[in-house]
């Protein structure tokens, strides 16, 4: 696997977004809190900016108003002309792109972290794009080592076309996905775990900005290769549920022939793949509509080269 | 709570409601399945009708369209003049009252089971509206015994001001079935299995009752609603503190509520009155976030 090179300058323009989906409440409440009290996001060399990404959806505690904001950062949407009756999230995506981007340009923010929750039993999961920067991989490693209560895995996401998520606007972007937590519910444990992971990510940026070097390492990562829908009737309704032996087993190996669904009539549906697969986002509420009962991943051991110290470190300014 | 010996007419007309809240999926899918293939819910001599109560909310996978259907069955709403201007759920309540009621009449259905899920850790819960309903107390005792060792709790919502006008209240014997924890919009196999069993045992009981089986006096522990407690809020009405991690997973256990809410966001620490017993807390259900409450029951 190859990685994009590390930044050569300190990361100074940093944003943390919550409420990209308005019913994923850890991010909503953290963003609202930081907007009132931003001190928590300050570090000696930079201050991260908090963003409530989808305020209208957050106000009504829904994933989105008209369409999924976190699928709206495509070149088609971002370059489209404004129209009076366009979906709310299209307008908002363009606004966020003006602020944090433009996507792909030299003016884009250095780093964005986007906060999410899932109903799936995924613990803490860092999502970064498959050909990401070596810097991002080192941050993932740092967060893994800090996350003691909750297992923390790294998901390298390969979209089928261009990138489309909010975090793809910045030069380096990642999403933090914490679960399980029901939509519209705020759990104290998830809330404090999310808050601690954000603090650690900013600590890592500060260490990098100060000229810290990070040694090479090896890490297990999960890479997506497909999806599986629920069994459905001809009319498109659900014909069964995630099998009890698969439920809550995100990131655990699933062998060919193992049961994955249980039909309402009682029979089991077995996994037809030809190799061990690691399912994630098992039974995520938001994915019923998009026909994903789980995402299929393979587990790979990957080597990440050392992150050398910044040539223009900020140690003198402290 | 104890039941005495009683005689009743045989039970004839039973309904099983799903989708009263459109995003509580276990009931939605059980009812849809039974509408296709009702063999599982048939018993000799009984008419058992599965029914989706809020199809528009089910379609959108949302709790309700205009207002909570499960709060709409008061006599004032049921008696309002039919009009397009009425909220969807009020019109729907009138239709359902016409099909399965009328409420408080001789013609209403004998029993309605209303299937619900909660995001809180309540396990299998049966909801009782009237502490004098000996027939239902016997039924609940039968269900609890059949489910053991899986715990099954009885929650009594009889209260002068906190009782609410449920969809099932149009029946002579209304039964609420609440199983959790399950996120809204998600269908879990284990929860489905538990709810399915509760219905099975309920129907077995009714069948046995109709066959003349004798049920000796029994006694059932219930959790009676006492109060509703809102989250602490700031001036804008936003939630300012969270359910304490110690309380989050606790259900049905006696606990002196020393620290009920937890400091969140560095804004405030709240130590609740230490004298309150906290049990049966469906904490953190989304509807509670909107209606500003969760239940304390003694």
């Amino acid at each position: 696997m190859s990685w994009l090179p590390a930044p050569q300058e300190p990361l100074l323009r940093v944003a943390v977004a919550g409420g990209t989906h308005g019913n994923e409440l850890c991010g909503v409440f953290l963003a609202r809190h930081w907007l009132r009290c931003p001190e928590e996001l300050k570090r000696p060399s930079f201050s991260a900016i908090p963003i409530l990404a989808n305020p209208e959806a957050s106000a009504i505690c829904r994933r989105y108003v008209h369409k999924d904001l976190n699928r709206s950062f495509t070149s088609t949407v971002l370059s489209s002309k404004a129209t009076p009756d366009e979906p709310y999230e299209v307008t908002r995506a363009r606004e966020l792109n003006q602020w944090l981007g433009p996507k792909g340009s030299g003016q884009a923010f250095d780093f964005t972290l986007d906060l999410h929750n899932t109903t799936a039993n995924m613990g803490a999961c860092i999502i970064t794009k498959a050909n990401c920067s070596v810097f991002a991989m080192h941050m993932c490693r740092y967060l893994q080592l800090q996350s003691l209560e909750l297992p923390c895995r790294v998901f390298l996401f390969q979209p089928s076309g261009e990138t489309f998520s909010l975090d793809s606007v910045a030069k380096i972007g990642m999403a933090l996905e914490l679960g399980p937590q029901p939509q519209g519910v705020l759990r104290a444990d998830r809330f404090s775990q999310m808050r601690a992971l954000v603090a650690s990510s900013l600590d890592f940026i500060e260490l990098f900005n100060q000229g810290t070097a990070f040694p090479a390492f090896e890490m297990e990562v999960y890479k997506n290769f497909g999806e599986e829908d629920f069994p459905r009737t001809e009319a498109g309704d659900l014909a069964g549920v995630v099998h009890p032996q698969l439920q809550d087993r995100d990131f655990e190996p699933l062998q060919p022939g193992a049961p994955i669904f249980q039909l309402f009539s009682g029979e089991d549906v077995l996994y037809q793949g030809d190799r061990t697969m690691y399912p994630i986002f098992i039974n995520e509420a938001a994915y019923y509509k998009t026909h994903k009962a789980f995402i299929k991943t393979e587990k790979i051991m990957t080597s990440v080269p050392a992150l050398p110290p910044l040539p223009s470190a900020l140690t003198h300014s402290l | 709570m104890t039941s005495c010996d009683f005689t009743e007419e045989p039970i004839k007309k039973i309904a099983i409601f799903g989708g009263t809240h459109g995003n509580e999926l276990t009931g939605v899918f059980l009812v849809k399945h039974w509408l296709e293939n009702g063999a599982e819910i048939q018993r000799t001599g009984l008419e058992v009708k599965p029914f989706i109560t809020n199809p528009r909310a089910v379609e959108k996978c949302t709790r309700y369209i205009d207002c909570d259907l499960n709060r709409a069955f008061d006599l004032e709403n049921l008696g309002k003049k039919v009009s397009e201007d009425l909220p969807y759920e009020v019109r729907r309540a009138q239709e359902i009252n016409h099909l399965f009621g009328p409420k408080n009449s001789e013609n209403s259905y004998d029993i309605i089971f209303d299937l619900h899920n909660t995001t809180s850790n309540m396990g299998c819960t049966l909801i009782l509206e009237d502490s004098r309903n000996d027939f239902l107390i016997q039924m609940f005792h039968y269900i609890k015994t059949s489910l053991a060792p899986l715990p099954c709790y009885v929650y009594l919502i009889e209260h002068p001001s906190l009782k609410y006008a449920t969809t099932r209240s149009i029946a002579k014997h209304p039964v609420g079935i609440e199983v959790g924890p399950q996120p809204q919009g998600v269908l879990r196999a284990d929860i489905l299995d538990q709810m399915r069993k509760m219905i099975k045992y309920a129907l077995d009981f009714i069948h046995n009752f109709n066959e003349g089986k004798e049920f000796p006096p029994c006694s059932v522990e219930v959790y009676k609603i006492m109060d509703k407690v809102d989250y602490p809020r700031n001036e804008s009405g936003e939630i300012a503190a969270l359910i304490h991690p110690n309380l989050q997973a606790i259900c049905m256990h006696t606990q002196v509520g020393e620290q009920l809410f937890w400091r969140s966001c560095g804004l405030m620490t709240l130590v609740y009155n230490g004298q309150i017993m906290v049990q049966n807390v469906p904490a953190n259900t989304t509807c509670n976030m909107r209606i500003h409450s969760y239940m304390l029951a003694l």
Side-chain angles (χ1 to χ4, degrees):
Chain A
M1 234 174 298
S2 67
W3 313 107
L4 296 175
Q8 295 300 296
E9 297 289 328
L11 272 58
L12 302 179
R13 296 170 75 227
V14 175
V16 183
T20 299
H21 295 135
N23 55 7
E24 294 174 15
L25 294 194
C26 286
V28 171
F29 279 84
L30 279 169
R32 282 184 182 152
H33 167 57
W34 291 323
L35 285 165
R36 283 187 294 259
C37 319
E39 306 80 51
E40 210 171 298
L41 300 183
K42 284 188 161 70
R43 294 294 183 276
S45 65
F46 72 98
S47 290
I49 295 177
I51 298 176
L52 184 62
N54 195 336
E56 298 276 319
S58 301
I60 57 172
C61 198
R62 289 258 195 277
R63 184 173 175 82
Y64 52 77
V65 179
H66 299 128
K67 74 189 282 284
D68 193 335
L69 179 62
N70 214 29
R71 302 290 182 275
S72 298
F73 293 87
T74 59
S75 49
T76 315
V77 171
L78 295 178
S79 60
S80 62
K81 267 188 81 163
T83 60
D85 49 1
E86 66 185 9
Y88 167 75
E89 280 81 11
V90 167
T91 314
R92 188 62 181 152
R94 265 197 245 100
E95 274 168 25
L96 289 166
N97 188 46
Q98 279 286 96
W99 186 6
L100 301 173
K103 178 173 173 177
S105 76
Q107 292 99 55
F109 262 53
D110 298 316
F111 183 86
T112 295
L113 188 61
D114 190 21
L115 307 181
H116 287 265
N117 290 115
T118 173
T119 57
N121 187 29
M122 283 171 63
C125 176
I126 310 161
I127 307 179
T128 181
K129 64 178 205 262
N131 61 333
C132 64
S133 157
V134 64
F135 173 89
M137 292 308 294
H138 275 271
M139 179 182 287
C140 288
R141 181 66 176 151
Y142 183 82
L143 292 178
Q144 255 188 356
L145 295 171
Q146 302 302 312
S147 180
L148 298 170
E149 288 168 37
L150 208 52
C152 181
R153 285 95 162 198
V154 178
F155 171 33
L156 294 189
F157 174 58
Q158 179 68 60
S160 49
E162 63 173 307
T163 56
F164 46 70
S165 58
L166 184 148
D167 62 87
S168 71
V169 173
K171 293 185 181 123
I172 303 175
M174 283 169 25
L176 257 185
E177 186 86 56
L178 242 66
Q181 180 172 271
Q183 296 173 341
V185 168
L186 189 57
R187 289 181 61 104
D189 50 7
R190 299 284 165 263
F191 182 81
S192 65
Q193 286 152 3
M194 178 84 87
R195 200 176 186 174
L197 283 167
V198 171
S200 297
S201 71
L202 302 184
D203 292 343
F204 178 80
I205 295 172
E206 181 61 24
L207 287 168
F208 175 78
N209 286 354
Q210 285 182 25
T212 315
F214 294 90
F217 64 91
E218 286 209 323
M219 179 165 76
E220 265 173 7
V221 297
Y222 297 82
K223 233 179 140 188
N224 59 309
F225 66 87
E227 300 157 1
E228 193 91 25
D229 188 11
F230 291 93
R232 292 184 183 269
T233 64
E234 268 160 30
D237 289 331
L238 291 190
V241 291
V242 168
H243 198 277
Q245 284 174 34
L246 175 60
Q247 180 67 52
D248 301 333
R249 296 240 163 94
D250 301 73
F251 295 105
E252 289 182 35
L254 185 84
Q255 307 303 338
I260 49 175
F261 300 111
Q262 193 172 70
L263 300 178
F264 293 122
S265 45
E267 298 100 70
D268 286 350
V269 174
L270 309 180
Y271 179 54
Q272 297 298 311
D274 56 5
R275 55 185 156 144
T276 309
M277 181 266 293
Y278 295 79
I280 66 172
F281 284 107
I282 300 172
N283 220 355
E284 159 57 48
Y287 289 171
Y288 278 50
K289 266 192 190 163
T290 55
H291 291 245
K292 291 191 265 283
F294 54 86
I295 310 286
K296 297 191 275 205
T297 74
E298 49 179 352
K299 186 162 76 163
I300 303 172
M301 183 62 86
T302 189
S303 301
V304 180
L307 188 63
L310 254 187
S312 54
L314 293 169
T315 42
H316 302 300
S317 65
L318 295 174
Chain B
M1 197 139 298
T2 57
S3 88
C4 317
D5 295 319
F6 59 92
T7 42
E8 290 258 359
E9 293 296 310
I11 300 289
K12 291 243 178 50
K13 294 195 306 183
I14 298 170
I16 306 181
F17 286 173
T20 295
H21 294 135
N23 54 8
E24 293 174 17
L25 295 194
T26 311
V28 171
F29 283 92
L30 279 173
V31 164
K32 279 185 173 177
H33 174 63
W34 291 328
L35 285 166
E36 288 283 306
N37 181 354
E40 197 181 328
I41 53 171
Q42 291 319 310
R43 300 286 187 283
T44 331
L46 285 179
E47 178 199 315
V48 184
K49 192 175 160 75
F51 186 78
I52 296 283
T53 46
N54 197 337
R56 281 187 60 195
V58 167
E59 170 87 38
K60 294 185 74 173
C61 195
T62 189
R63 184 172 174 83
Y64 53 77
I65 303 295
D66 295 327
C67 63
D68 193 338
L69 182 63
N70 213 30
R71 303 290 185 276
F73 284 77
D74 53 85
L75 294 173
E76 188 194 332
N77 269 335
L78 295 178
K80 280 185 176 146
K81 205 160 120 58
V82 176
S83 148
E84 282 296 302
D85 296 328
L86 288 178
Y88 169 71
E89 277 82 9
V90 172
R91 284 182 273 132
R92 191 67 186 145
Q94 290 177 348
E95 280 165 27
I96 293 168
N97 190 43
H98 181 70
L99 287 168
F100 298 95
K103 186 166 176 171
N104 297 336
S105 79
E106 270 306 298
N107 295 326
S108 66
Y109 266 56
D110 297 309
I111 304 175
I112 294 176
F113 296 99
D114 193 18
L115 307 181
H116 287 268
N117 293 116
T118 172
T119 57
S120 55
N121 189 27
M122 276 169 71
C124 297
T125 294
L126 290 159
I127 308 181
L128 183 67
E129 304 204 356
D130 179 358
S131 58
R132 296 153 305 167
N133 191 325
D134 295 337
F135 172 76
L136 285 185
I137 293 167
Q138 284 281 1
M139 179 198 287
F140 289 7
H141 180 258
Y142 180 90
I143 298 173
K144 277 167 69 79
T145 311
S146 309
L147 277 173
L150 184 69
C152 178
Y153 307 100
V154 177
Y155 171 36
L156 174 65
I157 59 168
E158 187 176 60
H159 187 283
S161 54
L162 295 175
K163 182 171 182 172
Y164 46 97
T166 58
T167 315
R168 57 191 180 264
S169 66
I170 57 181
K172 299 187 181 76
H173 303 288
V175 177
I177 293 187
E178 186 90 54
V179 187
Q182 181 171 270
Q184 295 171 346
V186 166
L187 197 51
R188 287 184 62 105
D190 49 2
I191 301 291
L192 183 65
D193 186 60
Q194 287 167 25
M195 193 178 280
R196 221 167 179 160
K197 285 190 165 108
M198 291 170 82
I199 288 287
K200 172 190 149 49
Y201 297 134
L203 295 177
D204 289 347
F205 171 83
I206 298 162
H207 176 72
N208 291 343
F209 172 82
N210 278 356
E211 297 283 291
K213 184 176 161 127
E214 197 177 306
F215 293 92
C218 69
S219 130
V220 166
E221 191 179 66
V222 306
Y223 295 82
K224 185 175 173 187
I225 188 171
M226 200 178 94
D227 196 6
K228 287 201 299 192
V229 177
D230 190 6
Y231 292 90
R233 290 177 189 272
N234 61 25
E235 311 76 46
S236 334
E238 287 167 358
I239 305 259
L242 309 180
I243 299 286
H244 197 283
N246 290 351
L247 182 60
Q248 177 64 52
I250 303 281
C251 198
M252 311 303 174
H253 294 108
T254 313
Q255 176 170 308
V256 176
E258 282 256 332
Q259 208 169 356
L260 195 62
F261 291 106
W262 193 47
R263 187 179 62 186
S264 154
C265 323
L267 288 175
M268 60 171 98
T269 304
L270 267 188
V271 178
Y272 199 77
N273 183 335
Q275 288 165 352
I276 302 293
M277 308 263 277
V278 180
Q279 293 176 332
N280 189 15
V281 180
N284 269 352
T285 54
T286 302
C287 68
N288 288 343
M289 298 285 274
R290 286 207 276 263
I291 63 169
H292 310 176
S293 70
Y294 71 89
M295 316 291 189
L296 282 184
L298 182 67

